[in-house]
């Protein structure tokens, strides 16, 4: 069991949940946990997957958007209350790092969470990186202040031009260097566009999916790839959540065929 140490509202929908474990855990950027949203009832029945936003001194942070019953229940929990988490699960962005390449991180929505964690590590290890973070307006750049306070090398985009550059994060694509390393997490259509315009560079995506177990048994989180046979469908929880974007069958994944 974990203990809740803080629940901080960022706006009407987004909040940060912090929990502390009794012992040190091996948590890496890209990893996720399955969180039980209600300790005293079977409703909701299934745990919910959440990417790790940060991990400091045995304290794990999650960026959560209130969208349904489970996330509403989490927000109502009390500091000091015990909470059940399973994990960490999944692979990590660190598996795909290349020291001598320029690194770009593209994030939108709750997809900024694992990229914030990754940015801190890249900065501390001296990598050449840039975080590109976008939202519809300044008020929806919910991690802007944390990014600025950590002195992360970041470029901000807002669709209405209320903060940073006006437009979408994908508007930055013409500026990326050839043979760079790109990581993205956010809306699927955003990640698809990055893959289509990656300027002879490698591109890895962190996918989000509804899942029941978190360790590959239920097969509820499979995605279509360009591989053949039994490898065509990959499990986000077990094979990911970080994937080489070039192996994903984007048209099938987005329901375009």
């Amino acid at each position: 069991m974990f203990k809740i140490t803080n629940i901080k509202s960022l706006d009407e929908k987004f909040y940060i949940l912090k929990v502390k474990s009794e012992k040190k855990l091996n948590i890496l950027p890209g990893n996720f946990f399955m969180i039980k949203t209600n300790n005293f009832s079977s409703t909701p029945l299934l745990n919910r997957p959440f990417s790790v936003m940060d991990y400091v001194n045995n304290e794990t942070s999650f960026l959560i958007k209130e969208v349904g019953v489970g996330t509403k229940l989490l927000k109502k929990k009390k500091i000091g209350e015990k909470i059940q988490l399973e994990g960490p699960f999944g692979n990590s962005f660190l598996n795909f790092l290349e020291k001598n390449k320029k690194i770009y991180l593209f994030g939108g929505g709750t997809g900024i969470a694992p990229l914030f964690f990754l940015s801190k590590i890249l900065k501390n290890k001296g990598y050449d990186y840039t975080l590109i973070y976008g939202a519809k307006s300044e008020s929806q750049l919910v991690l802007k202040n944390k990014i600025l306070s950590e002195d992360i090398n970041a470029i901000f985009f807002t669709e209405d031009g209320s903060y940073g550059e006006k437009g979408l994060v994908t508007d930055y694509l013409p500026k990326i260097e050839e043979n760079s390393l790109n990581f993205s997490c956010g809306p699927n259509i955003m990640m698809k566009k990055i893959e289509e315009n990656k300027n002879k560079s490698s591109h890895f995506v962190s996918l989000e999916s509804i899942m029941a177990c978190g360790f590959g048994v239920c097969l509820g989180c499979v995605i279509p790839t360009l591989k053949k046979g039994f490898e065509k469908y990959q499990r986000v929880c077990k094979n990911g959540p970080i994937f080489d974007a070039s192996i994903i069958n984007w048209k099938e994944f987005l329901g375009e065929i």
Side-chain angles (χ1 to χ4, degrees):
M1 296 290 283
F2 292 70
K3 184 179 290 187
I4 296 173
T5 57
N6 196 18
I7 300 175
K8 180 181 180 181
S9 292
L10 301 176
D11 64 9
E12 292 181 354
K13 288 292 184 181
F14 284 92
Y15 61 95
I16 294 175
L17 171 69
K18 290 187 178 182
V19 301
K20 194 162 189 176
S21 57
E22 296 179 353
K23 59 182 181 179
K24 186 175 181 179
L25 301 173
N26 183 30
I27 299 176
L28 302 174
N31 290 167
F32 67 94
F33 281 80
M34 301 294 291
I35 301 180
K36 185 172 179 59
T37 59
N38 192 344
N39 291 340
F40 307 103
S41 171
S42 60
T43 305
L45 176 62
L46 301 176
N47 294 354
R48 300 291 193 266
F50 294 100
S51 294
V52 176
M53 189 195 87
D54 205 2
Y55 180 63
V56 180
N57 297 326
N58 293 2
E59 191 173 56
T60 309
S61 299
F62 302 93
L63 175 65
I64 299 176
K65 182 178 182 181
E66 184 180 328
V67 292
V69 174
T71 48
K72 287 180 180 178
L73 286 171
L74 280 178
K75 192 175 183 180
K76 291 179 180 179
K77 289 185 177 294
K78 307 297 182 183
I79 293 175
E81 184 177 340
K82 290 186 177 180
I83 184 171
Q84 183 178 327
L85 278 74
E86 296 178 4
F89 296 123
N91 58 3
S92 170
F93 294 108
L94 303 185
N95 298 347
F96 308 101
L97 287 182
E98 296 182 51
K99 185 69 176 180
N100 297 320
K101 284 191 174 184
K102 170 71 179 183
I103 303 172
Y104 298 96
L105 317 176
F106 292 87
T110 53
I112 191 60
L115 298 179
F116 173 78
F117 189 10
L118 176 60
S119 296
K120 289 180 61 177
I121 290 178
L122 295 179
K123 177 191 171 187
N124 292 336
K125 292 183 177 294
Y127 282 87
D128 183 10
Y129 75 97
T130 300
L131 171 65
I132 302 100
Y133 175 28
K136 289 185 177 180
S137 63
E138 181 179 6
S139 64
Q140 294 184 37
L141 291 170
V142 292
L143 290 192
K144 181 193 73 174
N145 292 337
K146 289 190 69 66
I147 289 169
L148 294 175
S149 67
E150 292 286 347
D151 197 27
I152 289 169
N153 182 30
I155 297 172
F156 298 91
F157 279 84
T158 51
E159 292 181 32
D160 63 1
S162 55
Y163 188 84
E165 300 189 28
K166 185 175 182 178
L168 306 172
V169 295
T170 50
D171 292 338
Y172 190 81
L173 287 170
K175 300 180 181 180
I176 68 173
E177 298 177 11
E178 284 191 10
N179 300 312
S180 58
L181 178 59
N182 298 273
F183 294 116
S184 66
C185 186
N188 293 330
I189 193 68
M190 176 197 83
M191 295 187 288
K192 177 177 181 282
K193 187 169 183 178
I194 294 170
E195 176 59 20
E196 293 171 341
N197 298 273
K198 59 184 181 181
N199 195 17
K200 300 179 181 178
S201 299
S202 52
H203 177 214
F204 295 88
V205 297
S206 178
L207 299 183
E208 299 175 343
S209 177
I210 296 173
M211 56 185 71
C213 66
F215 45 85
V217 174
C218 72
L219 303 180
C221 61
V222 295
I223 60 162
T225 72
L226 299 174
K227 294 187 175 184
K228 304 297 183 182
F230 290 110
E231 293 189 335
K232 174 177 172 59
Y233 291 98
Q234 302 274 308
R235 295 164 292 179
V236 171
C237 66
K238 190 71 173 179
N239 304 112
I242 318 299
F243 291 89
D244 183 336
S246 67
I247 74 163
I248 297 172
N249 186 328
W250 287 99
K251 286 187 176 182
E252 185 177 350
F253 183 45
L254 296 179
E256 295 175 357
I257 58 173

